[in-house]
Every structure is written in structure tokens, then in C-alpha cells.
Amino acid sequence: MRVAFTAVPDSHLPPVDELLSTAVKALGGSERQGQITMVKAVQQAIDDEEHLAVQAGTGTGKSLAYLVPSIRHAMESDSPVVVSTATIALQRQLVDRDLPRLAESLVKELPHEPTFAILKGRRNYLCRYKATAGWPEEDEQDQLFDPREVSATGRMVQRIQDWAEETETGDRDELVPGVNEQAWRQFSVSAQECLGAQRCPSGAECFAELARARAGEADVVVTNHALLAIDAMGEIPVLPEHDVVVVDEAHELVDRVTSVVTSELSEASVSLAVRRVGRLIDQPTADQLMEAGEDLKALLAAAPAGRIDELPEVLGLTLALVRDSAQRCVTAMGPRGGDKDDPDKAGQRKAAFTALDEVHDTAVRMLEAYGHATEADRAEVVWLDEGNDRRPPVLRVAPLNVGGMLRDRLFGERTVVLTSATLALGGTFDGMARQWGLGDKGWQGIDVGSPFDHPRSGILYVAKHLPQPGRDGLPQAYLDEITELIEAAGGRTLGLFSSMRAAKAATEALRDRLDVPLLCQGDDSTMLLVKQFSEDEPTCLFGTLSLWQGVDVPGPSLRLVIIDRVPFPRPDDPLTSARQRHVAAKGGNGFMTVAATHAALLLAQGTGRLLRSQDDRGVIAVLDPRLATARYSGFLLGSLPPFWRTTDPEVPRAALRRLAG
């Protein structure tokens, strides 16, 4: 609901730089040149309806720089601006801190107080109908879980039931502590399973629909990359009608979109469809699908994991059997709109159709991934993820390129501003633009810099004298180097490793050699480990991927960031290796386009952990000599902030000893 204030005619809204100045003063900050440059560039992009990529270093204040013109445009156009993020942490920061404070600071300058809302996928909201009546959730295969886990899930179910009586939003993230997916699934539905507000007995009080309604009235709608992709790719819009999108953490966009459009098939997904069909069709037809699922299970259990470049005859026959059996079940179900007067039956049928469609369509998609004349014509890749004691093998299919989808469905319909601290790889935006599918679309890229004085605040040390990293764990020379660096720093170290195995191996090897506390990711929740690391100065924290991008520890607790190796994707990673080969087949440089770009992004994110405030000082130590010697090192170094560089081992040690004082 909008709160009315003294109206300012839309055509006479203050210029965006004046609004920014007002907001910065009200929030007790100081103007930064990069922020001013960015706010004007975003406003210009909106006015010109031209896409914009903005690299804005840590400390620029980029959230304010895109929120101010977004709010101004929402006021002028009377339509919301969508802000999409990759992480829950940034969503919460925007909704709980940045937007409320900004709205209050601009209230006297605008026609009404700016409003905002957060919108997530339907699965994130409790379904009132399913919680109170609805259709029963099928029994999961409890034999996969030990009795303690089943009991724990039961307690979670009870907590959800109690919470359902008092929640005002139904938002899963407000249920603290959280619950596992098995428990939550009994109280939520996907968009495909939902009966729709008109048919559902609880439609008038549906949490997901109420969230959509709030979003439709807001000036700024905060969402995530996954829902943005679903909205852009789907036939039915899930976001309010809008003409401007801001994509923050834009370096994550391609991976998040790829996850949304990746499908999987396994005996478990086929069994779920069989259970959901239940007594809705004749038993022989359901049995055919069950038998097809059992054939698939036996085949996947015997097959080697990895990318499947050519379709084996037996896999083709099995996929066709799954496809045809699922289609026969769909036909046996009858018209999709049946049972309108019986919501319980309608819910069961909708859930059954959803599971059957997913099995059928995924099998079709996997079969259609083959049969192309050349590698360059291939559009998708199929691979088998091996199972373990808790999870059976899963067959997956994903597109080799999502740029075309983004070009047609996201960039073709609206103005998009993409921003992150890491977008200009090798000194240019071209690599990211290709991934996004911008290509010949009208777009600009600008780097507004950083308020940090990188050459004076940080040293980038590359251990050129060390041997190249191998596949057999960390060499002894690496462990010696890490020990000496941490001793010089007096602890205060974030160790970023290319794999969890390497992080754990380093932790085990060094705990006896160091007299400072050493934490390893997995010892406790990552959030608690980071908190402990930040609060106790001598403590060190070792870990892998989420620490490369998710740690914000300003101050003396972090003086040294160690990176064990250039973070190239694994050579046997099915998707990235297939993408690399596909680029090469089309005449491009697959290694630079895929592997080096992946490594450059992660390196830029990892090195960005060091300087988080103006007073921060320290060293980034990359143990992999290839960053100084390989032919691609210039591209990687050109993707990093301009730290003072050295390959002399004594320089970082001396600097760390001075800082440790």
C-alpha cells in the first residue's frame, strides 16, 4: 500500500544525482566518484533503453547507485523495477537495510514514499491448502534414511505445522532454524502443481499469491536469478509487468540460469510419478512405467559416470521406453481440467500430471540431444552423475549455451542493467557479454573503479618458485609455503582451496605445525565458522567455493588470503568440458572462452576477499606459479584488481610481519 505525501509532479522529479546526494547525506555517508558515475550511467541506460554492464568494486556503494535511478524510474513510469540477486544474503540486505533506509531518506523528494517487496518461487511459500487439507504427499522411500533421520524429519514437520498457525508470510526463510527439503515438500507445491488461485479453496489467502500482489504494488521488486529466469523463459509471467531489470551479482547469472534449465531423470523421479499416479489410472499402465523405471535404475547403476557424447543403443531404448510409458499414463489420466468440483482430487491429478510431464519431457529432451551432424550443431549435453550410499545415479541434460535464451527472452523484452565487482575479465566486458548473449544487442560496459588504493593497500604475491600443482594433493613445498606465510601473518588467514579435499588435507597437515587456531569448512556451519574467524584475530579459516565469494571480514582478522591454485574447472566436469569442446568446434578458443574465463571470475572473487574497508591492508598469496609463467597469465592478471605484484617470497613475509606488529 502506497503512503501519500505532498505530490511532486512526475515530470519534475529531481535529477538522479541530486537524489543520490540527498540519500548519501541522510544516510551519513560521503559521495564517491564511482558511485556518482554509476548512478548517472544507470539513469542514462534507462532513458536510452540500452543495456548496461557496470563493474563496481567493493566499497563503491553500487546498491545505492542502482536503487536510486530504479526508484525514480518506477515513479515516472508507474511500473516496478525488478532487482535480481544471486544470494539470499544480498536479498536480505536490500530488503531489510538498504531499501528501508533509502525510502525514508527520499520521502520528501518524491510523489510518495518508495515501496518495495521481495518475491520468491512458489516452492518457497507454505501452501495453506496442502497444510490444512489438500492431497497427501507420497511416502518418500524411507528405507533410504536411518531411523534417526526419519524421526528428525517428523519433528521438523511438527514445527512447520505449529509455525503455519502463526506465520504472516509463509516464507520458508522465516522459519528458524530451517527444515530439510523432505519436511518442507509436504507443505509446499511447485508452480506446475498449484491448482491456481481461482480453483484452490485457499486461493484467497494463498501466501504466494499475496506475495505477488504486494510485488505488483511495489516500486522495487527484489527477486533472485532463478525466478528471473523462470519468468523470462516461461509462458506464464511470475513477476509483475516491468520494463527495467537490474541484475546484481551478474557474474552468477549464467550459472543460475543454467541450473534452472537443467533437467534430471532417475529411477527416483520415475517412481515419484508412479506413486503420484496411484489409483488414478489402471494398474497395468502404471506398472509399465514402474518397470521402465526399474530398467533405467539397472542401466544407470552399471554405467560409468561422466559425459555421454554418443547415445548407446541400450540407453536410447530405455529412454524411449520411459518416454512412451509416461505418455501412456498421461493419456490414461484423461482431460487435464477434470475434477474441477473436487479440489482434493484436482490436487492429486495436478501433482500426477506434473511428475509425468517432467519424466516424459526430460526423456524426450535427452533423446533429442543426439543425432546432430557435427559437434558445432549440438545444443545440449547429457551426462551421468554417479550415485553414493545416500543417492542413486542421476542422468542430467543441460544446454551448452544459455546466451540465446537470455538474448531472446530477457534482453529482448526490457532494459537490463548488469553489475558486479567482477565483470571485466582480461580488461574487457566482451567475455561476459558473449555468455549473456548480448552480442549485437545495443549495450555499453563501464568500470567505475574502486575507492580502494589497491597498489598501496595490498600485495599480490605469486609463488613463482614453487612446482606446478599436481593431481595428487598438495606438494610438501606448498605446505611449507603456507606455514611460513601464516606464521608471518600471526594467523589472520583465509585459505581458498580448489577442492574440499585440498582444504581438508591442508588443515590436517598444518594443525600440528601451527600454534594458531585453524578452522576448516565443514567443521560447523559456514556462517558460524566465518563469525568465529572474524571475531578471533589469530584464527585461520580454510575452505572452498562458497568462501571464494561469500566472506566479508573487514579489519585485522584478515590480513592474508592464500589461493592454492588457479581455479580452473575440473577437466572431467561434464558441462564445462562439453562447452569448451563446443566452442572449439565452432572455431573459437574453447580453453580461453570457458576454462580461463571460469578461472578469472573465481580469482577475481577470491582476491576480492582481502580489502573490505578503507583501512584494510594485507597480502594475497597465489601458490600456483602458472599465474606468473603460463601464456594465459596476462588474461588472468588483467581480470584482477591492480594490487602491487611480486614473485619475491621475502616481500610478502616482511609486509605481513609489519602488519602483525
Side-chain angles (χ1 to χ4, degrees), residues 432-486:
M432 294 304 299
R434 278 195 300 271
Q435 288 192 18
W436 295 327
L438 279 175
D440 55 358
K441 293 277 186 186
W443 68 279
Q444 284 193 12
I446 63 167
D447 183 351
V448 300
S450 166
F452 300 148
D453 187 348
H454 287 91
R456 291 180 178 272
S457 301
I459 295 172
L460 175 61
Y461 161 56
V462 182
K464 187 178 178 181
H465 64 285
L466 291 179
Q468 285 196 18
R471 294 188 178 183
D472 300 324
L474 291 170
Q476 184 61 42
Y478 279 46
L479 296 173
D480 294 341
E481 187 83 17
I482 294 171
T483 301
E484 293 174 16
L485 286 165
I486 290 177

Side-chain angles (χ1 to χ4, degrees), residues 474 479 482 497 501-511 518 542:
L474 291 170
L479 296 173
I482 294 171
F497 292 84
R501 185 178 68 173
K504 289 180 176 178
T507 303
E508 291 173 6
L510 297 178
R511 272 188 171 142
L518 181 51
F542 288 2

Side-chain angles (χ1 to χ4, degrees), residues 341-362:
D341 299 327
D342 185 346
D344 285 3
K345 193 72 173 291
Q348 293 176 36
R349 287 172 56 81
K350 193 77 182 288
F353 274 124
T354 298
L356 289 169
D357 288 343
E358 184 174 339
V359 167
H360 173 271
D361 295 350
T362 302

Side-chain angles (χ1 to χ4, degrees), residues 15 56 66 129 162 167 172 250 289 299 304 315 318 380 406 408 431 471 476 497 504-505 542 569 579 582 642-643 660:
Y66 64 68
Y129 178 53
D162 295 340
T167 178
R172 179 180 180 176
L289 181 58
L299 179 62
L315 178 58
T318 304
E380 300 208 285
L406 291 171
D408 297 339
R471 294 188 178 183
Q476 184 61 42
F497 292 84
K504 289 180 176 178
F542 288 2
R579 284 177 167 172
H582 183 66
F643 294 106

Side-chain angles (χ1 to χ4, degrees), residues 121-461:
R122 191 171 291 271
R123 270 286 192 195
N124 292 279
Y125 298 99
L126 182 135
C127 173
R128 286 189 187 272
Y129 178 53
K130 196 170 183 180
T132 56
W135 60 96
E137 184 69 14
E138 306 74 17
D139 291 332
E140 291 297 320
Q141 294 171 306
D142 288 339
Q143 64 267 29
L144 294 178
F145 303 93
D146 65 40
R148 289 170 297 178
E149 291 188 0
V150 173
S151 177
T153 297
R155 289 193 294 272
M156 290 179 186
V157 167
Q158 185 58 55
R159 277 207 301 114
I160 299 172
Q161 289 173 332
D162 295 340
W163 173 74
E165 298 296 324
E166 59 188 38
T167 178
E168 296 182 1
T169 66
D171 186 338
R172 179 180 180 176
D173 289 334
E174 295 182 10
L175 180 58
V176 180
V179 297
N180 64 30
E181 187 62 26
Q182 187 189 11
W184 181 254
R185 196 162 48 233
Q186 298 181 47
F187 295 85
S188 67
V189 296
S190 66
Q192 293 76 22
E193 294 166 332
C194 177
L195 291 173
Q198 301 302 317
R199 296 177 62 194
C200 179
S202 301
E205 52 184 4
C206 171
F207 287 124
E209 292 296 326
L210 291 172
R212 282 195 67 192
R214 287 192 295 271
E217 294 294 319
D219 295 309
V220 176
V221 179
V222 178
T223 189
N224 56 60
H225 294 350
L227 194 63
L228 181 69
I230 291 168
D231 180 72
M233 310 298 175
E235 300 301 321
I236 301 174
V238 293
L239 294 170
E241 189 172 339
H242 58 283
D243 60 358
V244 173
V245 176
V246 177
V247 180
D248 202 343
E249 301 173 308
H251 62 280
E252 293 262 28
L253 181 62
V254 168
D255 285 346
R256 299 304 171 102
V257 172
T258 299
S259 294
V260 168
V261 294
T262 296
S263 296
E264 64 179 51
L265 188 65
S266 67
E267 187 269 338
S269 59
V270 177
S271 294
L272 176 63
V274 172
R275 293 198 304 275
R276 285 192 170 176
V277 167
R279 300 185 183 88
L280 298 175
I281 64 173
D282 61 282
Q283 195 62 44
T285 303
D287 287 345
Q288 289 178 8
L289 181 58
M290 182 176 67
E291 290 166 5
E294 290 171 350
D295 289 348
L296 181 68
K297 178 182 180 180
L299 179 62
L300 299 187
R307 199 175 67 221
I308 306 173
D309 292 330
E310 302 296 332
L311 181 64
E313 182 179 5
V314 64
L315 178 58
L317 292 171
T318 304
L319 289 174
L321 183 61
V322 170
R323 175 198 63 195
D324 296 343
S325 301
Q327 183 57 54
R328 280 191 286 272
C329 289
V330 169
T331 302
M333 290 273 292
R336 290 180 182 256
D339 298 299
K340 290 182 179 179
D341 299 327
D342 185 346
D344 285 3
K345 193 72 173 291
Q348 293 176 36
R349 287 172 56 81
K350 193 77 182 288
F353 274 124
T354 298
L356 289 169
D357 288 343
E358 184 174 339
V359 167
H360 173 271
D361 295 350
T362 302
V364 169
R365 187 175 163 189
M366 289 175 174
L367 289 166
E368 291 180 349
Y370 299 97
H372 300 288
T374 67
E375 178 64 34
D377 296 326
R378 191 187 294 265
E380 300 208 285
V381 59
V382 178
W383 73 95
L384 178 63
D385 269 351
E386 64 181 348
N388 53 40
D389 292 340
R390 298 173 55 83
R391 180 179 55 81
V394 176
L395 205 58
R396 303 187 195 278
V397 58
L400 287 165
N401 190 328
V402 297
M405 300 179 197
L406 291 171
R407 180 184 63 243
D408 297 339
R409 306 302 295 271
L410 179 62
F411 297 109
E413 302 292 330
R414 51 192 65 82
T415 301
V416 184
V417 175
L418 306 112
T419 186
S420 169
T422 51
L423 291 181
L425 303 180
T428 173
F429 291 89
D430 292 345
M432 294 304 299
R434 278 195 300 271
Q435 288 192 18
W436 295 327
L438 279 175
D440 55 358
K441 293 277 186 186
W443 68 279
Q444 284 193 12
I446 63 167
D447 183 351
V448 300
S450 166
F452 300 148
D453 187 348
H454 287 91
R456 291 180 178 272
S457 301
I459 295 172
L460 175 61
Y461 161 56

